[in-house]
Amino acid sequence: MAEPETVNGEKENKLWKGVFAVSGIMSTLVIYGVLQEKIMRVPYGLNKEFFKYSLFLVFCNRLTTSAVSAGALLASKKVLDPVAPVYKYCLISVTNILTTTCQYEALKYVSFPVQTLAKCAKMIPVMVWGTLIMQKKYKGFDYLVAFLVTLGCSVFILFPAGDDISPYNKGRENTVWGVSLMAGYLGFDGFTSTFQDKLFKGYNMEIHNQIFYTTLCSCVLSFTGLVLQGHLLLAVDFVSRHRDCLLDIALLSTVATASQFFISYTIRTFGALTFAAIMTTRQLASIMLSCIWFSHPLSWEQCIGSVIVFGSLYAKTLLNNNKISQNQPPPTELPQYEKAEGS
C-alpha cells in the first residue's frame, strides 16, 4: 500500500517543481521584456531624453550575472577553473553580445510585440547552424514548421496596425532597418545556442561554469566597446541625471540574472522540450502584456500571423509529446516473474 503513496508523492513533488519553473521563467522574462522596452523606448526626465546606450545595458546585465554565477560556484564548491579553452568561451561571448545589442537596437525601430514574435523564427537559423556545426539532420515536418513560423512572423512585421514605428523617426526605412537588426539577432543567437550545445557535449562542464566565463568575457568586451565608442561616461552621466533609469537598469540586470538560473533549472529538471513549450507561452504573454501596457494596436493581419506562429509551434510540441509517449516501452512483468521464479 506504500507504493501508490510514493508514486503520488513523486507526482506531487514534480508538479510543484513544474509550478516553480513555469512561474519563475514566465515572471522573470515577461518583466525583463517590459523593462527592456521601457528603457529603450520611453523618454526620461522633463526634457524627454531617450536612453541610447544599449551596450551599457549588456555590460550591466553580464556583470551582475557573472558575479552571481561566481558566487554560486564558490558556495557549492564546484570547479571555478575553465574546463574548455578560453577562446571558446570568448566566441560565445562575442556572438552573445552581438545578439543582445541587435535586440536592444531593434527596439528603436520596431515595437516589442514585433520583436517578440520575430524571436519565434529562431528555428531556421538554429537548423542551419545545427547542420553546419553539429552535422544534424532534420525531417520534412521540421522544415514545414520552420516555414510556417517564418511566414507568420513576416505577416506580423509587414502589416502593422499603426504608422508610429519608432519614437526616434517615422518611415518605412526604419522598419527595414529594424527587421535587419532582428535578422542579425536571429543569426547570432542561433550560432550562440548551437555552439553552447556543442561545448556542453564536448566537455564535462557545469552550467554555472559556462555562464560565469561567458558572461565574464562579455563584461570585458562590452566594457571595451563602451570605452572605444566613448559611450561609457555618457551612459553614466545619463543614469546619474535620471535615477529612475538607473533603477530600471538595476531591475533589468537582476531579472536577467534570475531568468538565467530559472532556465538552467528547467532544462535540467524537465528537459528542452518542456522548456520550449514554456518559452512559447512566454512569448505570447509578453506580447499581450506589452500591447496592454504600452498601447500597441494589433491589426487583423497581425492576429492571423500570431495564430500561424503559435499554432505551428504548439502542433510541433504536441506531435513530439505523442511520439515520446508511443515510443515508451510497456510496463514489464519483471516483478511478477521474479516472484514466480522464487516460489
Side-chain angles (χ1 to χ4, degrees), residues 306-333:
S306 301
V307 171
I308 293 173
V309 170
F310 293 112
S312 301
L313 290 173
Y314 274 113
K316 179 177 173 60
T317 302
L318 289 173
L319 186 64
N320 287 340
N321 283 333
N322 289 334
K323 286 182 178 179
I324 290 172
S325 61
Q326 289 174 3
N327 291 334
Q328 284 180 346
T332 61
E333 299 294 330

Side-chain angles (χ1 to χ4, degrees), residues 285-304:
S286 297
I287 288 179
M288 297 308 170
L289 182 60
S290 178
C291 288
I292 294 171
W293 190 274
F294 295 102
S295 301
H296 294 302
L298 289 177
S299 65
W300 65 269
E301 293 94 346
Q302 287 180 315
C303 292
I304 293 175

Side-chain angles (χ1 to χ4, degrees), residues 37-328:
E37 183 171 20
K38 182 178 186 295
I39 293 170
M40 296 303 298
R41 291 179 66 88
V42 177
Y44 290 93
L46 297 176
N47 295 327
K48 302 296 181 182
E49 296 180 78
F50 287 97
F51 185 84
K52 300 180 180 180
Y53 314 106
S54 55
L55 198 57
F56 185 75
L57 297 180
V58 177
F59 171 71
C60 293
N61 290 353
R62 301 303 182 266
L63 181 64
T64 305
T65 305
S66 62
V68 173
S69 58
L73 283 171
L74 292 173
S76 58
K77 297 181 180 179
K78 292 181 180 178
V79 178
L80 190 60
D81 297 330
V83 296
V86 175
Y87 77 89
K88 293 189 176 182
Y89 292 107
C90 291
L91 183 58
I92 294 176
S93 297
V94 170
T95 55
N96 186 259
I97 286 177
L98 291 172
T99 298
T100 311
T101 303
C102 287
Q103 178 183 358
Y104 286 134
E105 288 295 315
L107 279 172
K108 297 178 181 178
Y109 307 99
V110 296
S111 67
F112 181 71
V114 171
Q115 186 184 103
T116 302
L117 193 67
K119 290 178 184 178
C120 295
K122 287 181 180 182
M123 299 172 71
I124 290 181
V126 167
M127 291 168 72
V128 170
W129 287 118
T131 303
L132 294 175
I133 297 175
M134 307 282 288
Q135 285 78 49
K136 291 184 177 180
K137 294 183 179 179
Y138 299 94
K139 297 180 180 179
F141 180 73
D142 295 324
Y143 287 103
L144 175 63
V145 172
F147 169 76
L148 290 174
V149 169
T150 305
L151 176 64
C153 290
S154 301
V155 171
F156 195 95
I157 292 173
L158 294 174
F159 295 95
D163 296 327
D164 188 8
I165 297 171
S166 167
Y168 297 92
N169 294 294
K170 296 181 181 180
R172 186 70 176 177
E173 68 276 5
N174 295 315
T175 304
V176 173
W177 181 233
V179 172
S180 300
L181 286 168
M182 284 308 302
Y185 162 81
L186 292 170
F188 291 128
D189 183 69
F191 177 86
T192 302
S193 58
T194 305
F195 198 75
Q196 280 180 306
D197 188 21
K198 185 179 178 67
L199 214 59
F200 274 125
K201 291 179 178 177
Y203 300 89
N204 186 17
M205 183 182 295
E206 286 286 335
I207 291 176
H208 294 302
N209 184 279
Q210 186 180 112
I211 291 176
F212 171 67
Y213 279 100
T214 53
T215 53
L216 184 63
C217 291
S218 296
C219 284
V220 175
L221 292 172
S222 56
F223 181 81
T224 304
L226 283 169
V227 172
L228 292 177
Q229 293 175 359
H231 288 174
L232 179 61
L233 295 180
L234 293 175
V236 172
D237 175 67
F238 187 95
V239 297
S240 64
R241 288 186 292 107
H242 302 286
R243 296 300 176 89
D244 50 342
C245 181
L246 178 62
L247 178 61
D248 288 339
I249 293 174
L251 288 173
L252 182 75
S253 300
T254 303
V255 171
T257 301
S259 68
Q260 284 288 335
F261 291 101
F262 275 117
I263 288 170
S264 301
Y265 173 82
T266 303
I267 294 175
R268 269 188 170 184
T269 307
F270 299 100
L273 186 61
T274 302
F275 172 68
I278 295 172
M279 290 298 288
T280 302
T281 307
R282 196 271 305 180
Q283 304 282 30
L284 182 59
S286 297
I287 288 179
M288 297 308 170
L289 182 60
S290 178
C291 288
I292 294 171
W293 190 274
F294 295 102
S295 301
H296 294 302
L298 289 177
S299 65
W300 65 269
E301 293 94 346
Q302 287 180 315
C303 292
I304 293 175
S306 301
V307 171
I308 293 173
V309 170
F310 293 112
S312 301
L313 290 173
Y314 274 113
K316 179 177 173 60
T317 302
L318 289 173
L319 186 64
N320 287 340
N321 283 333
N322 289 334
K323 286 182 178 179
I324 290 172
S325 61
Q326 289 174 3
N327 291 334
Q328 284 180 346

Side-chain angles (χ1 to χ4, degrees), residues 4-16:
E5 294 180 1
T6 304
V7 173
N8 291 333
E10 290 178 355
K11 287 183 178 179
E12 186 176 351
N13 187 34
K14 193 170 185 179
L15 174 64
W16 284 113

